Amino acid sequence: RMIATREHDRLRIQTALDAAKTQLERNKLGQFATPSALASQIIDLTRQLLPTGQIRFLDPAFGTGAFYSALLAAVGQSRISRAVGYEIDPHYGKMASRIWKDTPLELNIRDFTRAQFPACETEKANLVVCNPPYVRHHHIDSDEKLRLAQRVLTAAGVDLSGLAGLYCHFLCISHAWLAANGLAVWLIPSEFMDVNYGRQVKEYLLNRVTLLRIHRFDPEVTQFDDALVSSAVVFFRNAPPQPGGSTTLTFGASLLEPAITMEASLETLRNSDKWTGIVFASDVSVAKAHVSDFFTITRGIATGSNAFFMIPRVKARALGLPEQFLRPILPSPRYVKTCRIETDHDGYPMLPEQLCLLDCSLPEDQVKSQHPALWRYLKQGVEAGIDKGYLCARRNPWYAQEQRLPAAFLCTYMGRKGKSTDAFRFVLNKSQALAANVYLLLYPKPRVAEALRLKPELLDDIWQALNRISPVSLKRVGRVYGGGLHKLEPKELANAPADEIGELLGIDKPCQQASLF
């Protein structure tokens, strides 16, 4: 009863502490408190993996102590011979010290990444459990990145990417604090399994320690009320991996009752760029052809300021902007309700509102003398500071756009699965409209372009074949964030299976396919 009362008080204090800070302040330090129920789930499973004997516990990002509270409830205080926590923020650390003052906890209110490594094995923890700060790399300044990188290299021999988030540094630095055969449990964003910066973390998990299990939570069900991040729990032991070893991969809303459980060999993980897709591999047939065999894929145009450069056609006419500097462009996918876009007589898409892209390469003095209406509009952009934006400041002139041809085939770059729609849609664009970078553009490779020239009716057939690519396949090659937000980059869409397109073009064998392009 005393433990339950203390946890109730801790949650009340946590809520008050969170409310005293703005969301921006908490985001800056990556402060997303572990929900009590989730901490209990993690500790319940952790207890099954613990060896017998006394526990030396460490939480490098303590907060108010969600994991410590759950551990006390699960094993009792008598089994914990030492408990150490680090909390960088006194706002939380001072209150946490008061909450746990009657327990053996040694709470250090300081930056864990700067703490001195343990001098001997007996000072190291045999249980590390942590929800590290979720701070993206662009919020870490260059000097701090260099310091953290050196710390990681010293602690774990890992050369982390400069794009790695702070949670990766925490995980690797903690290697120096984990006793031989000690157990580590990390609640971290699942994106490390798929993105390039996660490669070194995955190599560490495969080659330096024994990876026991990775549970990936269903991204449709976020674990945090205040962060849209897809989460995973990683369990490993500080012991060299066994030759020919394997690990357990699970998936679902519940850590204790996963929807999918499978064994994956370490060799399979070593040979896979995207670990999240391995769990669903049985749902996707082996493809003979992929989207990249038929299309060159690129992101749409990055304008530098859609609100300024993408102008309603009616407004552009009212402003007197010269037609020669206006090109049709599609609106955001949320305003495009159809997947088939027809064209009007001058190449604009037949949509409720037609937009045009301002694109002019003339120097300013020429615009000023020859096109006064355009000059007045550009001055508004200067007054708003648009010319000083990241992209515009690197262009000459600042109002010139990327040169791109209209694409007949488009794919939405991101989306959430709705009640009646899937996350991604392929759009057939029969107009001359360009597309912004919220779309992926698919340009037919020469063999496909020639087939379309000879048989124009294939345009519809190929578009329909693209839309029949399994949503599971697209999600598997893409990435997902909390709340079920799915994204596809060009290289990811390139890996999607496209056997049906090969059949339409008379390509049914890999050797034939390879010889065509």
Side-chain angles (χ1 to χ4, degrees):
R1 181 177 298 177
M2 183 180 70
I3 292 173
T5 300
R6 185 152 42 195
E7 174 61 6
H8 180 271
D9 290 343
R10 187 192 70 82
L11 288 173
R12 178 178 52 79
I13 292 169
Q14 178 78 53
T15 300
L17 291 172
D18 287 346
K21 281 195 161 195
T22 66
Q23 188 71 40
L24 182 62
E25 288 172 327
R26 291 170 55 214
N27 285 349
K28 187 175 180 180
L29 289 175
Q31 296 170 320
F32 302 103
T34 309
S36 180
L38 178 57
S40 295
Q41 276 192 48
I42 291 172
I43 292 299
D44 280 350
L45 188 54
T46 298
R47 185 172 53 172
Q48 300 172 27
L49 301 171
L50 280 172
T52 57
Q54 293 295 103
I55 296 170
R56 302 190 304 276
F57 170 80
L58 169 67
D59 183 345
F62 193 81
T64 60
F67 289 124
Y68 184 53
S69 179
L71 184 66
L72 285 171
V75 304
Q77 186 169 307
S78 61
R79 195 177 166 194
I80 303 173
S81 63
R82 190 181 185 197
V84 177
Y86 281 83
E87 173 52 50
I88 193 172
D89 188 353
H91 179 72
Y92 292 95
K94 289 180 179 179
M95 288 303 298
S97 294
R98 296 177 190 175
I99 294 170
W100 305 109
K101 63 181 180 180
D102 296 329
T103 73
L105 176 69
E106 304 166 28
L107 183 58
N108 302 277
I109 304 177
R110 58 180 298 196
D111 184 351
F112 170 74
T113 69
R114 295 178 181 274
Q116 185 175 349
F117 295 149
C120 60
E121 191 72 9
T122 56
E123 291 182 4
K124 296 182 179 181
N126 59 12
L127 174 61
V128 174
V129 188
C130 186
N131 167 19
Y134 183 47
V135 179
R136 291 185 178 274
H137 78 93
H138 48 266
H139 293 308
I140 307 173
D141 67 42
S142 55
D143 289 343
E144 180 68 353
K145 280 185 180 181
L146 288 174
R147 185 191 70 80
L148 287 168
Q150 185 56 53
R151 197 74 167 153
V152 166
L153 197 61
T154 302
V158 176
D159 186 12
L160 273 184
S161 164
L163 302 180
L166 186 57
Y167 72 93
C168 299
H169 297 89
F170 262 69
L171 187 151
C172 294
I173 290 172
S174 294
H175 185 82
W177 296 74
L178 186 60
N181 293 311
L183 178 66
V185 184
W186 290 85
L187 172 61
I188 56 178
S190 64
E191 63 190 42
F192 86 91
M193 293 191 276
D194 292 343
V195 296
N196 289 335
Y197 77 69
R199 181 172 56 83
Q200 295 89 351
V201 176
K202 291 188 287 188
E203 289 174 355
Y204 166 79
L205 294 173
L206 291 173
N207 302 323
R208 292 294 307 278
V209 298
T210 298
L211 182 59
L212 302 174
R213 176 174 173 179
I214 299 178
H215 177 84
R216 178 176 166 237
F217 287 104
D218 185 341
E220 306 284 345
V221 184
T222 56
Q223 301 303 308
F224 297 88
D225 294 333
D226 51 359
L228 287 178
V229 58
S230 178
S231 304
V233 186
V234 182
F235 299 82
F236 61 86
R237 202 175 297 285
N238 188 10
Q242 294 297 312
S246 64
T247 192
T248 302
L249 302 179
T250 59
F251 173 85
S254 170
L255 177 65
L256 300 179
E257 297 180 0
I260 300 174
T261 301
M262 66 172 290
E263 288 295 309
S265 70
L266 299 185
E267 194 61 29
T268 296
L269 294 176
R270 287 190 182 98
N271 294 328
S272 177
D273 290 332
K274 288 180 174 292
W275 286 8
T276 59
I278 294 173
V279 175
F280 300 101
S282 60
D283 298 330
V284 183
S285 60
V286 177
K288 297 177 183 178
H290 298 85
V291 173
S292 61
D293 294 317
F294 310 110
F295 297 98
T296 298
I297 307 166
T298 184
R299 289 281 291 276
I301 290 173
T303 68
S305 173
N306 287 355
F308 180 77
F309 290 110
M310 292 172 59
I311 311 164
R313 194 179 185 189
V314 173
K315 179 181 177 181
R317 284 173 173 166
L319 292 170
L321 301 181
E323 286 284 345
Q324 67 263 41
F325 303 129
L326 303 176
R327 305 177 68 189
I329 190 166
L330 295 174
S332 168
R334 67 178 179 271
Y335 298 117
V336 178
K337 304 304 181 184
T338 178
C339 287
R340 182 189 179 97
I341 298 172
E342 301 293 344
T343 184
D344 67 11
H345 66 280
D346 53 1
Y348 274 80
M350 295 181 67
L351 294 172
E353 182 178 59
Q354 295 178 332
L355 299 178
C356 47
L357 176 70
L358 175 60
D359 179 16
C360 175
S361 59
L362 297 181
E364 291 189 0
D365 57 349
Q366 196 170 340
V367 173
K368 184 176 181 180
S369 63
Q370 298 179 9
H371 304 285
L374 176 56
W375 178 248
R376 286 193 296 271
Y377 188 72
L378 293 177
K379 283 175 64 179
Q380 294 178 28
V382 173
E383 291 167 2
I386 292 170
D387 62 323
K388 299 297 192 298
Y390 181 82
L391 290 178
C392 293
R394 287 160 177 77
R395 298 196 300 231
N396 185 23
W398 64 268
Y399 41 83
Q401 300 294 338
E402 299 177 72
Q403 294 306 296
R404 199 74 59 81
L405 293 173
F409 303 102
L410 309 170
C411 181
T412 53
Y413 159 64
M414 68 174 72
R416 287 187 171 87
K417 181 179 178 181
K419 293 181 179 179
S420 59
T421 60
D422 288 307
F424 304 109
R425 293 185 290 148
F426 288 93
V427 177
L428 179 60
N429 175 29
K430 302 186 79 172
S431 75
Q432 291 300 302
L434 303 171
N437 59 356
V438 288
Y439 294 92
L440 301 182
L441 314 183
L442 288 74
Y443 293 103
K445 288 188 171 180
R447 170 67 175 84
V448 182
E450 178 63 13
L452 287 168
R453 187 185 69 81
L454 296 173
K455 296 179 66 177
E457 63 271 20
L458 280 174
L459 191 74
D460 271 57
D461 294 337
I462 292 174
W463 166 57
Q464 291 172 16
L466 285 168
N467 271 309
R468 282 193 289 269
I469 295 175
S470 163
V472 172
S473 298
L474 292 173
K475 291 175 185 176
R476 181 189 175 207
V477 298
R479 61 190 68 181
V480 64
Y481 299 86
L485 177 65
H486 295 267
K487 289 186 179 180
L488 270 178
E489 295 291 351
K491 289 182 179 179
E492 294 168 341
L493 177 58
N495 291 324
D499 288 351
E500 188 176 344
I501 296 175
E503 293 167 5
L504 284 170
L505 298 172
I507 303 168
D508 56 8
K509 293 181 182 179
C511 58
Q512 283 182 281
Q513 171 190 319
S515 66
L516 289 170
F517 305 106

